[in-house]
Amino acid sequence: AQSVTQLGSHVSVSEGALVLLRCNYSSSVPPYLFWYVQYPNQGLQLLLKYTSAATLVKGINGFEAEFKKSETSFHLTKPSAHMSDAAEYFCAVSLSPEIQGAQKLVFGQGTRLTINP
Amino acid sequence: KAGVTQTPRYLIKTRGQQVTLSCSPISGHRSVSWYQQTPGQGLQFLFEYFSETQRNKGNFPGRFSGRQFSNSRSEMNVSTLELGDSALYLCASSLGLGQGNHSPLHFGNGTRLTVT
């Protein structure tokens, strides 16, 4: 069964420091992977997605993620944290649809990112 | 282009009652999915609709049901509410077309349901 594991439910970094949020996946087939961000009292917003076109994926707000098949990882990074990055981040894998076009995401448990001034 | 709209934003119900939540997808999107978000279980898939047909279903009891209308708007219903149904219910829409489709989901801001 396909699944994702996010290492660290809480991550705290200083403003201007590197952000690294970890995600490992389990999949028997080439996975489709996503990172979403959720701000308080809001829904999820797509940061970036991996669909096998390139291993380094650039997303919005300066975030990027690298797909490493050998490590079954898809970690999210940002070179310099900003106060506005404080939010909860979710890694997700899209299950292979049994029905053409059907969508189903399996999410990790989320990582809450805190930025210290 | 307007985003995914969910109504109401907040809802308080009593155990045993039923509730209906509404979702209007992004214009042109034909797939609507529903997710439940709780602190303990995280984000869990409820079901997905496309062209008024349920294509995919999560592992929830039959008290949870949904439907989609011809204009792609969707509703989900929870009958005989339990305290454990308290959660943020998120609706997401996507184009939903094509084999192996993995087009991104666009989420609404959710309906926060509290069962007392």
Side-chain angles (χ1 to χ4, degrees):
Chain A
Q2 290 163 300
S3 65
V4 291
T5 301
Q6 291 183 240
L7 300 177
S9 57
H10 290 87
V11 170
S12 181
V13 302
S14 298
E15 190 173 18
L18 170 72
V19 175
L20 171 61
L21 304 181
R22 300 177 186 274
C23 172
N24 287 89
Y25 69 90
S26 170
S27 175
S28 58
V29 298
Y32 289 82
L33 296 161
F34 304 82
W35 274 100
Y36 283 86
V37 61
Q38 185 177 33
Y39 298 100
N41 298 317
Q42 293 187 25
L44 280 71
Q45 180 183 4
L46 179 69
L47 278 176
L48 49 82
K49 63 175 180 177
Y50 168 76
T51 56
S52 76
T55 57
L56 183 62
V57 182
K58 293 188 183 299
I60 63 172
N61 301 340
F63 283 94
E64 62 182 36
E66 185 173 8
F67 175 75
K68 291 187 177 181
K69 185 178 179 180
S70 60
E71 299 177 6
T72 62
S73 69
F74 189 58
H75 301 333
L76 182 71
T77 61
K78 182 174 180 177
S80 177
H82 191 273
M83 295 299 290
S84 61
D85 294 327
E88 189 152 20
Y89 292 78
F90 293 91
C91 182
V93 62
S94 180
L95 297 189
S96 299
E98 296 171 356
I99 300 172
Q100 178 173 324
Q103 285 269 34
K104 180 178 179 180
L105 291 183
V106 174
F107 288 89
Q109 286 297 311
T111 297
R112 186 168 299 278
L113 176 64
T114 302
I115 312 296
N116 301 314
Chain B
K1 193 182 257 190
V4 177
T5 303
Q6 291 188 247
T7 56
R9 283 297 309 273
Y10 301 93
L11 207 49
I12 300 175
K13 290 287 187 178
T14 303
R15 193 170 41 182
Q17 287 185 316
Q18 74 159 16
V19 67
T20 299
L21 312 181
S22 180
C23 173
S24 294
I26 291 173
S27 177
H29 285 190
R30 295 169 62 185
S31 169
V32 174
S33 303
W34 290 88
Y35 288 80
Q36 181 196 64
Q37 185 177 24
T38 60
Q41 299 298 316
L43 283 151
Q44 293 188 286
F45 173 78
L46 280 156
F47 28 65
E48 185 227 0
Y49 287 86
F50 180 83
S51 292
E52 303 178 65
T53 301
Q54 186 182 90
R55 290 199 298 195
N56 217 343
K57 189 177 188 306
N59 189 27
F60 277 81
R63 300 185 297 107
F64 291 81
S65 63
R67 60 177 175 169
Q68 187 180 35
F69 302 95
S70 58
N71 62 358
S72 294
R73 192 177 68 84
S74 177
E75 289 181 348
M76 70 162 280
N77 184 76
V78 187
S79 62
T80 319
L81 284 166
E82 301 177 359
L83 296 178
D85 297 332
S86 294
L88 180 67
Y89 289 89
L90 293 165
C91 168
S93 74
S94 71
L95 291 171
L97 297 174
Q99 186 172 5
N101 171 57
H102 298 274
S103 58
L105 300 184
H106 298 264
F107 285 82
N109 285 332
T111 294
R112 185 165 297 282
L113 171 65
T114 302
V115 182
T116 61

